[in-house]
Amino acid sequence: GAGVSQSPRYKVAKRGQDVALRCDPISGHVSLFWYQQALGQGPEFLTYFQNEAQLDKSGLPSDRFFAERPEGSVSTLKIQRTQQEDSAVYLCASSPRDWELTDTQYFGPGTRLTVL
Amino acid sequence: GQQVMQIPQYQHVQEGEDFTTYCNSSTTLSNIQWYKQRPGGHPVFLIQLVKSGEVKKQKRLTFQFGEAKKNSSLHITATQTTDVGTYFCAGPRGSQGNLIFGKGTKLSVKP
């Protein structure tokens, strides 16, 4: 596609529910990142994939957060037993090649998660 | 841990006035990137600076990377209402790939 797409754009969950957020990166992009952006804050890193390999998950805030990219393209971020503090915009970004420090990232529109 | 700080947090200007946001890193950066996020939108890449003391211009926007590669600035000349949004700087976390973002400077422009 023309850019990174994410679905759903908006998700309202009751506390304790599980949610799954989807990211479709730009076709052919090797690197994929998930970020969490709280209101009024900058994006904060969650996890990084190079193709299907999850190379860094140091930013995941708890074991309730799980991400996968089984075929090296679409990625899913799953949050189990959602809590109110999980409310945020979840951004996905992709980059064309194996990540280099000077590469840029192309962001999707984000999924706004509200946990009631 | 490594931190990236931005000031000011908010800036309100009259259309036509200049605007500057400053970014400071607690560590030396291999490069720094700037993103713009419109209200309700997602971060959009603006530019990357790599060299010490580098200055780059994009029309009314001027980006600078400090000599020590620990600070950067974005200056907008003669702001327009289309400049409204939050400007983020971001740098690589150590030798890893993921980016550390500042908290951003939210610019509002009064016509």
Side-chain angles (χ1 to χ4, degrees), chain A residues 37 45 99 101-103 108, chain B residues 31 33 37 42 48 96-98:
Chain A
Q37 186 174 23
F45 170 77
W99 177 252
L101 294 181
T102 54
D103 282 352
Chain B
N31 70 89
Q33 303 179 20
Q37 187 171 21
H42 58 277
Q48 177 185 251
Q96 300 167 5
N98 64 82

Side-chain angles (χ1 to χ4, degrees), chain A residues 8 13 52 84 113:
Chain A
E52 69 279 1
Q84 286 188 326
L113 172 65

Side-chain angles (χ1 to χ4, degrees), chain A residues 102-113:
Chain A
T102 54
D103 282 352
T104 62
Q105 298 180 17
Y106 300 87
F107 281 82
T111 294
R112 182 177 297 277
L113 172 65

Side-chain angles (χ1 to χ4, degrees), chain A residues 1 21-22 30 32 43 52 55 65 67 85 90-92 95 100 108:
Chain A
L21 312 180
R22 177 187 169 108
V30 170
L32 185 146
E52 69 279 1
L55 298 188
F65 287 71
E85 61 263 29
Y90 290 85
L91 295 164
C92 175
S95 192
E100 299 288 340

Side-chain angles (χ1 to χ4, degrees), chain A residues 14-15 30 39 50 68 70 83 85-88 92 103 108:
Chain A
K14 291 183 179 178
R15 190 174 59 177
V30 170
L39 189 64
Q50 181 179 304
E68 60 183 3
Q83 304 294 318
E85 61 263 29
D86 300 335
S87 296
C92 175
D103 282 352

